[in-house]
Amino acid sequence: MKKIAVIIGPSQPNVIERKRAYETGKFFADKGYIIATGGLSGVMEEAMKGAKEKGGLTLGIIPTDKKQDANKYCDIVIPTGMGRMRNVLLILSADIVIVCGLSEGTFTEIAYAIAFKKKIFTYGFEIDKPYKIPYVKNLKELESYI
Amino acid sequence: MKKIAVIIGPSQPNVIERKRAYETGKFFADKGYIIATGGLSGVMEEAMKGAKEKGGLTLGIIPTDKKQDANKYCDIVIPTGMGRMRNVLLILSADIVIVCGLSEGTFTEIAYAIAFKKKIFTYGFEIDKPYKIPYVKNLKELESYI
Amino acid sequence: MKKIAVIIGPSQPNVIERKRAYETGKFFADKGYIIATGGLSGVMEEAMKGAKEKGGLTLGIIPTDKKQDANKYCDIVIPTGMGRMRNVLLILSADIVIVCGLSEGTFTEIAYAIAFKKKIFTYGFEIDKPYKIPYVKNLKELESYI
Amino acid sequence: MKKIAVIIGPSQPNVIERKRAYETGKFFADKGYIIATGGLSGVMEEAMKGAKEKGGLTLGIIPTDKKQDANKYCDIVIPTGMGRMRNVLLILSADIVIVCGLSEGTFTEIAYAIAFKKKIFTYGFEIDKPYKIPYVKNLKELESYI
């Protein structure tokens, strides 16, 4: 069974969040992980773009029921027709979750990652409320966890 | 169409949370709202018990696919077979959400309530991270919102 | 716990199917059942209209995430945002399922009713493939089953 | 984007159904398709075993929320925690659906495949009720459709 790294963050990220997602995609693709995201734009697209540059395999779990709504870096598309409820499926598929930035949707994913006891890290910033999430300043720090 | 008040909080509440749930159930039943919860124990059961004492109607959206898993105060049971993903359905059904205490599951519900722009209040305590949620000290303060 | 009769059939029914749905809604409302449907038009709307004329309580489990998409006879609306996948939830909520006509969506509901071992009847017509479903010519025949 | 062949049939198949599944898995893996199933035993396992023998990639969309419940031929596992409702997700992920045998669960998948206008074929046997599904006697006949 292949390991899956789920990379989450805003669909309208700033420059720093975008760079984090891209680097995280590259990093985990290089380690042989599948890169899974919500399959749309922003952090989702950057992470998958990074993964593809390293020859990685990408999985998009998208809110609509139409495969063509996925971004162009998705190798495998699961159209759910479940809207934002698909965030829960995305988290369930994870062996590790990396948070590259925050948005309303991202908080639903973080909350489910905690509820399902998933391994989760923020990359490049800290969250300490409502729960403390382990934090890495650079991706190399993740090597001991994967 | 009837209005639905969703009451959330821990399944293993302390005495104060239990009392808040019970009072909130009574309060909204008295206003003609349907009281909806996750249909199991703790805050869920107390809220529905309160509602039934006021002759209210109760709706349980439960994680399993078996109606008999609902608590005895549920008038209407929707067995989902979706596990904790059913929290999303519960929030979608809400016209107003009242938080009577916190748990891992409750955070998934709060996060979705924010994502879906639902009217949400904490009762008896404050949350200001990761987002500020409107707060009431007593239920009468809710009267201008309902 | 209240019993729930789920009434299914096409959203664009013919005159006979429409009449069956309306009568079935009246029949079960009169017996104290909640009438549940997919909450939209056609058979769904007629069944709920019938139920309301008898003072019954109605429950619509709708495909979108917006309560206003339900028909005007829905007392309680569960917006799912799950599209046609909500058919599965509708069937799970049933104590009895009555089929008033056929459509592609109806077949998904029948198939799940069989898979979940729900009590199911066709009213006014027979299905014998792919499985034989018990059949009633008039609603009075149901009285021994409810 | 990679194409996905969804292979369905009973979890307790007979010898013929088992052989059909195994061959269908090999056939589509050879064409570069991902082989997706419900990720458990029987037809699901045989199809994925066949795919792996041809070096194919396999995707299991499983009913529980635990990856370890998947069969050993699954490369990618999506744990849904949705029970049999996950059949709908499996069908949504399909570019083509091949039916290798029938069971109660399989009928839910066929019904959704029809409702979502998916390309679907029975292999080695015919269904003509409640709807006529295109039928192939041998897999070579599929070549003009893929």
Side-chain angles (χ1 to χ4, degrees):
Chain A
M1 195 190 306
K2 290 176 191 296
K3 297 255 180 163
I4 297 181
V6 167
I7 302 176
I8 61 176
S11 59
Q12 299 181 325
N14 62 31
V15 176
I16 293 170
E17 292 161 340
R18 190 177 288 274
K19 190 157 167 288
R20 284 178 195 147
Y22 173 74
E23 284 174 356
T24 307
K26 286 211 293 188
F27 177 83
F28 279 99
D30 211 42
K31 305 289 186 196
Y33 276 67
I34 292 175
I35 304 306
T37 75
L40 302 182
S41 61
V43 156
M44 300 174 264
E45 190 161 3
E46 289 300 311
M48 294 170 119
K49 186 181 172 194
K52 291 315 294 173
E53 288 185 11
K54 287 286 188 174
L57 187 66
T58 57
L59 169 66
I61 299 180
I62 66 172
T64 70
D65 59 5
K66 290 191 190 359
K67 290 199 178 195
Q68 61 265 33
D69 293 332
N71 72 54
K72 66 183 172 189
Y73 302 105
C74 286
D75 293 320
I76 306 170
V77 178
I78 313 278
T80 66
M82 296 169 75
R84 295 183 125 180
M85 203 187 295
R86 71 79 155 81
N87 297 5
V88 188
L89 286 172
L90 180 63
I91 293 303
L92 279 166
S93 75
D95 292 291
I96 190 167
V97 180
I98 308 296
V99 191
C100 295
L102 296 172
S103 69
E104 286 180 355
T106 311
F107 279 119
T108 65
E109 293 162 328
I110 294 172
Y112 268 102
I114 303 287
F116 291 135
K117 318 280 185 218
K118 293 286 181 177
K119 207 185 288 183
I120 181 170
F121 296 88
T122 55
Y123 167 33
F125 68 104
E126 288 185 79
I127 302 179
D128 58 359
K129 289 282 186 57
Y131 13 62
K132 198 157 182 55
I133 294 176
Y135 147 74
V136 294
K137 248 186 291 194
N138 60 68
L139 294 168
K140 280 198 178 149
E141 295 174 47
L142 287 172
E143 289 192 342
S144 55
Y145 299 100
I146 63 179
Chain B
M1 195 189 308
K2 290 176 191 295
K3 298 255 181 162
I4 297 181
V6 167
I7 302 176
I8 62 177
S11 59
Q12 299 181 326
N14 62 31
V15 176
I16 293 170
E17 292 161 341
R18 191 176 288 276
K19 189 157 169 289
R20 284 179 196 146
Y22 173 75
E23 284 175 356
T24 308
K26 287 211 292 189
F27 177 83
F28 279 99
D30 212 43
K31 305 289 185 196
Y33 276 67
I34 291 175
I35 304 305
T37 75
L40 302 182
S41 62
V43 157
M44 299 174 264
E45 189 161 2
E46 289 300 311
M48 294 170 118
K49 185 180 171 194
K52 291 314 296 173
E53 287 184 13
K54 287 287 190 174
L57 187 66
T58 58
L59 169 67
I61 299 181
I62 66 173
T64 71
D65 59 6
K66 291 190 189 0
K67 290 199 178 194
Q68 61 265 35
D69 294 330
N71 72 54
K72 66 184 172 189
Y73 301 107
C74 286
D75 294 321
I76 307 171
V77 179
I78 313 278
T80 66
M82 296 170 75
R84 296 183 125 181
M85 204 186 294
R86 71 79 156 79
N87 297 5
V88 187
L89 286 172
L90 180 62
I91 293 303
L92 278 166
S93 75
D95 291 292
I96 189 168
V97 179
I98 308 296
V99 190
C100 295
L102 295 173
S103 70
E104 286 180 356
T106 312
F107 279 118
T108 66
E109 293 162 329
I110 294 172
Y112 268 102
I114 303 287
F116 291 136
K117 319 279 183 219
K118 293 286 181 176
K119 207 186 286 183
I120 181 170
F121 296 88
T122 55
Y123 166 34
F125 69 106
E126 287 184 80
I127 301 178
D128 58 0
K129 289 281 185 59
Y131 12 63
K132 199 158 182 55
I133 294 176
Y135 147 75
V136 294
K137 248 186 291 194
N138 60 68
L139 294 167
K140 280 198 179 150
E141 295 173 49
L142 287 172
E143 289 192 342
S144 54
Y145 298 101
I146 64 180
Chain C
M1 195 189 306
K2 290 177 190 295
K3 297 254 182 165
I4 297 180
V6 167
I7 302 176
I8 61 176
S11 59
Q12 299 181 324
N14 62 32
V15 175
I16 293 170
E17 292 162 339
R18 190 177 288 276
K19 188 157 169 291
R20 285 178 195 147
Y22 173 76
E23 283 174 357
T24 307
K26 286 210 294 189
F27 178 82
F28 279 99
D30 212 41
K31 305 289 186 196
Y33 276 67
I34 291 175
I35 304 305
T37 75
L40 302 182
S41 60
V43 156
M44 299 174 264
E45 189 161 3
E46 288 300 311
M48 294 169 119
K49 185 180 170 193
K52 291 313 297 172
E53 287 184 13
K54 285 287 189 173
L57 186 66
T58 57
L59 169 67
I61 299 180
I62 67 172
T64 70
D65 60 4
K66 290 190 189 359
K67 290 199 175 194
Q68 61 265 35
D69 294 331
N71 72 54
K72 66 183 172 190
Y73 301 107
C74 286
D75 294 320
I76 306 170
V77 178
I78 313 279
T80 66
M82 295 170 75
R84 295 182 126 182
M85 202 186 296
R86 72 79 156 79
N87 296 6
V88 187
L89 287 172
L90 181 63
I91 293 303
L92 278 166
S93 76
D95 292 291
I96 189 167
V97 180
I98 307 296
V99 190
C100 295
L102 296 173
S103 70
E104 286 181 355
T106 312
F107 279 119
T108 65
E109 293 162 330
I110 294 172
Y112 268 101
I114 303 287
F116 291 135
K117 319 278 185 220
K118 293 286 180 176
K119 207 185 286 182
I120 181 169
F121 295 88
T122 55
Y123 166 33
F125 69 105
E126 287 184 80
I127 302 179
D128 58 0
K129 289 279 187 60
Y131 11 63
K132 199 160 180 53
I133 293 176
Y135 148 75
V136 293
K137 247 186 292 195
N138 60 67
L139 293 168
K140 278 198 178 149
E141 295 174 49
L142 287 172
E143 288 192 343
S144 55
Y145 298 100
I146 63 180
Chain D
M1 196 189 308
K2 290 176 190 296
K3 297 254 181 164
I4 297 180
V6 167
I7 302 177
I8 62 176
S11 59
Q12 299 181 324
N14 62 31
V15 175
I16 292 170
E17 291 161 341
R18 190 177 288 275
K19 188 157 169 291
R20 283 179 196 147
Y22 173 74
E23 283 174 357
T24 308
K26 285 211 293 189
F27 177 83
F28 279 99
D30 212 41
K31 304 288 185 197
Y33 276 68
I34 292 175
I35 304 305
T37 75
L40 302 182
S41 61
V43 156
M44 299 174 264
E45 190 162 2
E46 288 301 311
M48 293 170 119
K49 185 180 169 193
K52 291 314 296 173
E53 287 184 13
K54 286 287 189 176
L57 187 67
T58 58
L59 169 68
I61 299 180
I62 67 173
T64 71
D65 59 5
K66 292 192 189 356
K67 290 199 177 194
Q68 61 265 34
D69 293 331
N71 72 55
K72 65 182 172 190
Y73 302 106
C74 286
D75 294 320
I76 306 171
V77 179
I78 313 279
T80 66
M82 295 168 76
R84 295 182 125 181
M85 202 186 296
R86 71 78 156 81
N87 297 5
V88 187
L89 286 172
L90 181 62
I91 293 303
L92 278 166
S93 74
D95 292 291
I96 189 167
V97 180
I98 307 297
V99 191
C100 296
L102 295 173
S103 69
E104 286 180 356
T106 311
F107 279 120
T108 65
E109 293 162 329
I110 294 172
Y112 268 101
I114 303 287
F116 291 135
K117 318 280 185 219
K118 294 285 179 177
K119 208 186 288 184
I120 181 170
F121 296 88
T122 55
Y123 166 33
F125 68 105
E126 289 184 79
I127 301 178
D128 57 359
K129 288 282 185 56
Y131 13 61
K132 200 161 180 52
I133 293 176
Y135 147 75
V136 294
K137 249 187 289 194
N138 60 68
L139 294 168
K140 278 197 180 150
E141 295 174 49
L142 287 172
E143 288 192 342
S144 56
Y145 298 101
I146 64 181

